[in-house]
Structures are given as structure tokens and as C-alpha cells.
Amino acid sequence: REKDDKYKIRMPKLQVVKDKRKSIIDVERNIFKFKKSSEEKSRKREKEEKFFRETFVYDKEISVINTAIAECSVPSERRVDLPVTAGEQLDVIDVTEGHAVICRNSEGRYGYVLVEHLNFR
């Protein structure tokens, strides 16, 4: 056995250089992934809007009245309250009778936010 190992020819392993250019198939796959993620986001937004309309009994057209920036972070105590982080930009959808306004965040969630926590520009 030792003699057989002694005369065995050992070939060095060659490194394969990968082509860094993307093939057309890879580009098409990335396009489909992008479309899929945007479709998922739109479905999520539609779901949030449906929940908002049912919970708040809101039958008006949703339009942005104003934009505001949250001054401080506020966790939500109820499902109808919108959790807010400091510096987050919110779209004001509707004004209520009390000290709260109905806002939408960048993720598409709706909820009440107290006016004291917002900075209107």
C-alpha cells in the first residue's frame, strides 16, 4: 500500500473564476422578486385600510390633510392607537373632536395620535 501511495500523482485543485456579470435569467428573477414584494406590501396596505374602515367606521375618501412629525415615542395602549417613534413622519387623515387626530404611518397603519405628540410644520 505504501508503494501505491508513493507513486500516485497528485493534481492541484484549480480555482474556478466565477463570472461576475449577471445573466439575463438572474436579472429576470430579481425583477420578479421586486414585483412580489411590492404586491405583498400593497396587500398589507389594503388589509390595514380595510381594518381602519371597519374599526373607525370611516366611509369618507382617505386623503392627506397635513403631514406631521412625532416629537416623542409613544407606545400604543389600544389597537386603535397608533404607536409612534420620535422623528417619524405621519400623514394626518382626519381631525376628531378631542385632542387626537387620525394618522397614517409609513407602513400604512392607521390610528389615533394625540396632538401634543405631533409637530406640524
Side-chain angles (χ1 to χ4, degrees):
R1 285 188 175 181
E2 291 178 6
K3 289 182 180 179
D4 291 341
D5 289 341
K6 195 175 187 181
Y7 296 109
K8 213 177 210 183
I9 299 173
R10 296 186 187 230
M11 297 290 291
K13 291 186 178 180
L14 299 175
Q15 293 181 348
V16 179
V17 177
K18 293 183 179 179
D19 190 9
K20 297 209 177 204
R21 293 177 287 168
K22 291 185 178 182
S23 67
I24 295 172
I25 296 169
D26 292 337
V27 172
E28 287 177 357
R29 285 183 187 157
N30 289 339
I31 290 171
F32 291 130
K33 284 181 185 177
F34 174 75
K35 287 182 181 178
K36 185 176 180 182
S37 66
S38 63
E39 286 176 8
E40 288 174 2
K41 287 179 183 177
S42 65
R43 279 192 217 126
K44 185 177 179 182
R45 285 185 183 264
E46 288 173 5
K47 184 179 175 183
E48 288 291 336
E49 183 178 335
K50 183 180 178 184
F51 177 81
F52 164 70
R53 289 189 180 280
E54 290 173 356
T55 307
F56 290 79
V57 190
Y58 196 85
D59 56 353
K60 302 178 206 172
E61 181 182 342
I62 297 175
S63 60
V64 178
I65 298 171
N66 200 351
T67 57
I69 295 178
E71 290 182 338
C72 58
S73 297
V74 181
S76 65
E77 297 174 7
R78 305 173 295 170
R79 175 65 174 116
V80 293
D81 293 334
L82 185 64
V84 178
T85 57
E88 182 179 11
Q89 184 174 356
L90 303 170
D91 297 330
V92 178
I93 304 298
D94 202 357
V95 180
T96 60
E97 293 178 8
H99 293 277
V101 291
I102 299 173
C103 294
R104 176 179 61 198
N105 65 5
S106 60
E107 297 172 0
R109 283 191 64 190
Y110 296 87
Y112 289 116
V113 179
L114 294 175
V115 177
E116 297 95 39
H117 302 302
L118 299 177
N119 181 13
F120 297 92
R121 290 185 179 186

